[in-house]
Amino acid sequence: MSLARSNPRLLARTNRIFHSQIRTYSAPGDGAIPASKKKYIPTSGSYPQGFRAGSAHVGVKASNTRFDDLALIASDTPCSGAAVFTTNKFQAAPVTVSREMLKKRKGQGIRAVIVNSGCANAVTGRGGIEDAIAMGKATDSCFSDGKDDGQGSQSVVMSTGVIGQRLPIDKITSKIPTAYSNLGNTHDHWLGTARAICTTDTFPKLLSKTFTLPSSKEEYRIAGMTKGAGMIHPNMATLLGIICTDAPLTGAPLSAALTAAIGKSFNSISIDGDTSTNDTVAILANGAAGGQEITTTDTPDFSAFQKVLTDFAVDLAKLVVRDGEGATKFVTIRVTNADSYKTAHRIASTIARSPLVKTALYGKDANWGRILCATGYAEGNDSVIPEETSVSFVPADGSEELKLLVRGEPEQVDEERAAKILEAEDLEIKVRLSETKGYTEEAVFWTCDFSHEYVTINGDYRT
């Protein structure tokens, strides 16, 4: 029996397909940061007094043999704390454990945030809860200067990575003392810790700034890190955020300020329309810089702090969008002339998660019909009057907007200019709703495009 001669063309085609499926990524692969993303990494910072950051290598994922994947942020003294968590019904064990800890403590007496990357500890049953508790206890035991106040753990626990797998908890808890011994207050300590919480992120996301409050002469500092590149959509995403400040706030006003800030920042971004099981943004305030303590929400100091925190959270959230998996564009969606902020936000959110809008942007196609379509099917779009709706592209270079639709009538679009606008990394889509009703509310949302690489990254995620 003779074998049929192989077909060279078929063999070559098969080899091309096979090799095209072998993927490597800048994160977590070789750790190289893309040249286009280096500009978003700070080279220095102003970090809050009384806080330290550190990391250690555990190897939560077997493939990670080099990079730190355990992060610890700690206050030198017990401090106030608050957090906002995912609304996904399948909430990860760290979410459940941290929420209960903050509730029991009423946002007071917090010492640290401990984070592992590589495994989400989500949908892991009772064992997952026990693992999250064990992470908290191991972190608590590092603070020998503190006395047991009988209220349980003092540590916020976070995890990020693959869903449905148990943590290598013994490996993690054995390395928490290492992370503690590596704590420091330099820029390198903070940046290294921000890198340790990354998963498919291509760069560490870290910001810091100084600010003042009306009643005080002190200069305060706020610093924050976040991670997230995919599974990003309110409320919130596979997104973790840790913010620290040396301003003096008690738990209740701190929680109120964070909740308000999240609405216009982390809940106003979308990469792929998926809300994760692990989303957590936490804030710690230790008052180490001094000044009058903020204990209520009806003071000028609270109002000033809330604005600082909101602006800071917006800047952090934008970094997540800029690192969207496979993204080539950073897109601002501004919806104006709505009857309420809620309406404008819903419409902007709908446009942001439309796969057809996002793929058109990737293809540099001025297909405004897709934008209009998403506007029309958005939930709660009572302010939308087709005959009064306008759509424009607003260039990032500050030049005149390109009108695509004006009061329901299509414009003769300059395709050459449209293509040039869409070549840029940054772009704004502006949708004006009713112009005769006197509505003035607007909302801003940030998103990115969908590329071939997004499918590749998520097709290979577990491997």
Side-chain angles (χ1 to χ4, degrees), residues 239-283:
L239 181 151
L240 301 182
I242 305 108
I243 301 171
C244 300
T245 181
D246 52 19
L249 289 90
T250 57
L254 187 65
S255 180
L258 180 64
T259 300
I262 291 295
K264 293 191 175 181
S265 58
F266 291 105
N267 277 352
S268 290
I269 61 173
S270 181
I271 287 175
D272 49 21
D274 274 335
T275 297
S276 175
T277 54
N278 289 60
D279 316 329
T280 305
V281 175
I283 184 169

Side-chain angles (χ1 to χ4, degrees), residues 13 39 45-46 65 85 107 124 178 180 183 212 224 232 237 265 277 300 309 349 351 406 422 427 443 452 459:
R13 180 171 176 270
K39 60 188 175 185
S46 299
T65 59
F85 301 97
T124 46
T178 303
Y180 180 80
L183 287 173
T212 58
I232 303 291
S265 58
T277 54
L309 179 59
S349 171
I351 297 169
V406 178
L422 289 168
L427 166 73
H452 299 91

Side-chain angles (χ1 to χ4, degrees), residues 84 232-236 239 243 257-270 281 306 308-321 341 345 444-447:
V84 175
I232 303 291
H233 191 70
N235 293 293
M236 286 171 289
L239 181 151
I243 301 171
L258 180 64
T259 300
I262 291 295
K264 293 191 175 181
S265 58
F266 291 105
N267 277 352
S268 290
I269 61 173
S270 181
V281 175
Q306 182 172 293
V308 168
L309 179 59
T310 299
D311 292 345
F312 187 77
V314 165
D315 289 340
L316 269 180
K318 286 180 178 179
L319 290 178
V320 174
V321 177
Y341 173 80
H345 193 267
V444 180
F445 219 87
W446 296 278
T447 191

